[in-house]
């Protein structure tokens, strides 16, 4: 093989190697982006105590699950711009009742408080306050 052919072959190999590396990087970047976009954001904590509210039986309510609503503990649509991937919890109480709705957004019994706000990870977390 002549030196010229050898150089041409090396250039093609280099090109192929670089192309391969670039493709892998692109695949990794796309995969990372896809991975990020499928993980819902964490809610912020608007209150470290529950909200005591009087509910009307048969009425539909939307409990804020993202923490960004300014109408706590209810949804004001803020999740659409500030926490895409999170949705409010819609519920209809059977009868008129007074309940404690979660304010920390980390209850395991949404929308009701289950005492999770007393755990260290909530106590030590920052409180979300609107600017
Ligand atoms: S306020 Fe969230 S569990 Fe009590």
């Amino acid at each position: 093989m002549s030196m010229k052919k050898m150089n041409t072959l090396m250039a093609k190999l280099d090109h192929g190697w670089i192309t391969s590396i670039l493709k892998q990087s692109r695949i990794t970047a796309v995969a990372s982006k896809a991975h990020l976009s499928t993980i819902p954001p964490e809610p912020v904590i608007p209150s470290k105590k529950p909200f005591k509210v009087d509910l009307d039986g048969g009425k539909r309510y939307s409990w804020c699950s993202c923490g960004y609503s300014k109408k706590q503990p209810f949804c004001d649509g803020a999740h659409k711009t500030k926490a895409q991937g999170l949705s409010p919890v819609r519920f209809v109480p059977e009868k008129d009742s007074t309940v404690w709705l979660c304010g920390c957004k980390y209850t395991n019994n949404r929308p009701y408080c289950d005492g999770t706000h007393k755990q260290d990870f909530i106590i030590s977390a920052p409180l979300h306050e609107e600017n």
Side-chain angles (χ1 to χ4, degrees), residues 49-50 102-105 107 113-117:
K49 292 180 179 172
C102 173
C104 74
K105 309 305 175 188
T107 179
C113 172
D114 70 352
T116 298
H117 64 273

Side-chain angles (χ1 to χ4, degrees), residues 16-33:
W17 179 77
I18 290 168
T19 303
S20 171
I21 295 294
L22 289 174
K23 276 185 184 169
Q24 284 179 356
S25 300
R26 188 160 175 238
I27 288 169
T28 303
V30 169
S32 297
K33 207 172 187 180

